[in-house]
Amino acid sequence: MVCFSVAVLSKSGKVLVSRQFVDMSRIRIEGLYAAFPKLIGTGNKQHTFVETDKVRYVYQPVESLYFLMITNKQSNIIEDLETLRLLTKLAPEYCHGIDEESIVKHQFELIFALDEVISLGYKENVNMVHIRAFTEMESHEEKLANMIKASKINEAKEEMKRKVTQIDKQKAEQRKGGDGGMAMASMEGFGRMLSDSTSSLPMVSPMAGTDYRPPEDYAKSMASLPTKSLKAGGGMQLGKKNTKVDLMAAMASEGAIVPSPV
């Protein structure tokens, strides 16, 4: 038996899933599938086949679909039919239904199962139990790789949470520092304004040639002076001339005139 290709088609001839097992050009395999609807009759038969000059079509209608095998004419028809019956059992197992939507949705699972049945165009000595075991076979290396991947994902999530917490703390500290800095800056600005205003005032210096005396000394000197009572009618009298004796006495008191001995 040499199986060229296996396909699942709709009643109208639309190819839903196709798996090729030998080296054939795309144009040829598309031509073989396009010729199939024209070769089959309108009757609904359980198992049937159609032959051409070079190939044989072995097909089985299941509900609204066709399961099709294209083989050479020298293959064993009994073995082909047995293989076809096994292929029809794969669709409910791996596609969870026999309709166009289920076949298209689970097409890759069906193709993997077909690869377990036919290899390089020849049928393998397997049954449904073997196919199920092969497709669901567990690998220790795969489990270990999945565990490592999951641990790395968890570590990355924890690191992300830690970074987010650290960034939030830094932002909170920056906000607190920004508020204190603004208060200190405002105080510094106010002090600078006061110093500038005081520095702009003119400096009062004592007059040259005089000694600076604080106001307290002036108050003490004023308090020590004798008080003179003003007499009534003792004001300034205009036109009155000082006597010569008073003038001489004043000059003598100033030291300008030395009195002569008598």
Side-chain angles (χ1 to χ4, degrees), residues 31-86:
L32 292 175
Y33 286 133
F36 172 70
K38 302 175 182 178
L39 296 174
I40 60 175
T42 58
N44 186 8
K45 301 178 182 179
Q46 288 293 324
H47 302 288
T48 185
F49 63 92
V50 177
E51 291 185 354
T52 62
D53 295 339
K54 297 181 179 180
V55 298
R56 177 187 294 156
Y57 295 92
V58 182
Y59 65 95
Q60 179 179 352
V62 179
E63 295 185 4
S64 61
L65 303 176
Y66 281 116
F67 286 82
L68 174 65
M69 289 179 54
I70 302 177
T71 65
N72 58 2
K73 296 181 67 174
Q74 291 77 26
S75 64
N76 189 342
I77 186 63
I78 303 299
E79 185 178 354
D80 293 343
L81 294 176
E82 182 181 354
T83 304
L84 185 61
R85 281 194 297 268
L86 181 59

Side-chain angles (χ1 to χ4, degrees), residues 2-13:
V2 178
C3 179
F4 296 149
S5 180
V6 175
V8 180
L9 293 82
S10 63
K11 289 290 186 178
S12 61

Side-chain angles (χ1 to χ4, degrees), residues 113-162:
L114 292 175
D115 290 339
E116 300 296 335
V117 178
I118 301 174
S119 176
L120 299 176
Y122 296 92
K123 180 183 179 300
E124 298 287 342
N125 188 17
V126 294
N127 53 28
M128 287 298 300
V129 177
H130 296 151
I131 296 171
R132 190 179 297 110
F134 294 157
T135 54
E136 296 178 359
M137 183 175 292
E138 297 181 354
S139 173
H140 177 70
E141 289 79 7
E142 182 180 0
K143 282 186 176 181
L144 183 60
N146 292 333
M147 291 174 62
I148 294 173
K149 183 179 179 181
S151 63
K152 288 182 178 180
I153 292 173
N154 294 331
E155 290 177 0
K157 290 181 179 179
E158 294 296 331
E159 183 68 17
M160 181 182 65
K161 291 180 181 179
R162 189 180 66 82

Side-chain angles (χ1 to χ4, degrees), residues 77-101:
I77 186 63
I78 303 299
E79 185 178 354
D80 293 343
L81 294 176
E82 182 181 354
T83 304
L84 185 61
R85 281 194 297 268
L86 181 59
L87 294 178
T88 56
K89 296 179 182 179
L90 297 179
E93 180 73 19
Y94 293 95
C95 299
H96 311 289
I98 307 178
D99 55 81
E100 293 187 15
E101 184 178 358

